[in-house]
């Protein structure tokens, strides 16, 4: 159970994380296909970047890119 989504509409439950090779390109694709970018990519130091998005139905999803 991932409570980190509590700020994304107050939902609690299982968090969906999708690993992508290029987070900026996939954020653009997400918007082009009806999704909404909730925040800019966040740098997680040596690990990589993540960004929160919502799918066209409003479900929260995390995109992840390793460094």
């Amino acid at each position: 159970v991932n409570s980190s989504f509590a700020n994304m509409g107050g939902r609690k439950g299982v968090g969906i994380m999708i690993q992508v090779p290029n987070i900026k390109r996939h954020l653009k694709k997400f918007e082009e296909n009806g999704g909404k970018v909730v925040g800019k990519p966040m740098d997680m130091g040596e690990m990589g970047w993540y960004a929160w998005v919502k799918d066209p139905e409003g479900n929260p999803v995390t995109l992840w890119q390793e460094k």
Side-chain angles (χ1 to χ4, degrees):
V1 177
N2 186 339
S3 63
S4 65
F5 289 122
N7 293 330
M8 293 184 62
R11 293 182 180 190
K12 292 184 180 179
V14 176
I16 304 297
M17 180 178 284
I18 301 171
Q19 186 170 347
V20 296
N22 184 311
I23 199 164
K24 290 182 181 180
R25 184 174 70 227
H26 281 79
L27 288 172
K28 184 177 179 182
K29 284 184 176 184
F30 213 87
E31 287 185 313
E32 290 172 353
N33 288 286
K36 179 181 178 185
V37 175
V38 179
K40 295 180 181 179
M42 301 289 289
D43 188 341
M44 296 298 293
E46 294 179 14
M47 296 186 300
W49 296 271
Y50 76 92
W52 283 342
V53 295
K54 288 188 178 181
D55 71 13
E57 295 178 358
N59 299 300
V61 177
T62 302
L63 298 183
W64 172 257
Q65 177 187 336
E66 288 185 349
K67 285 190 178 176

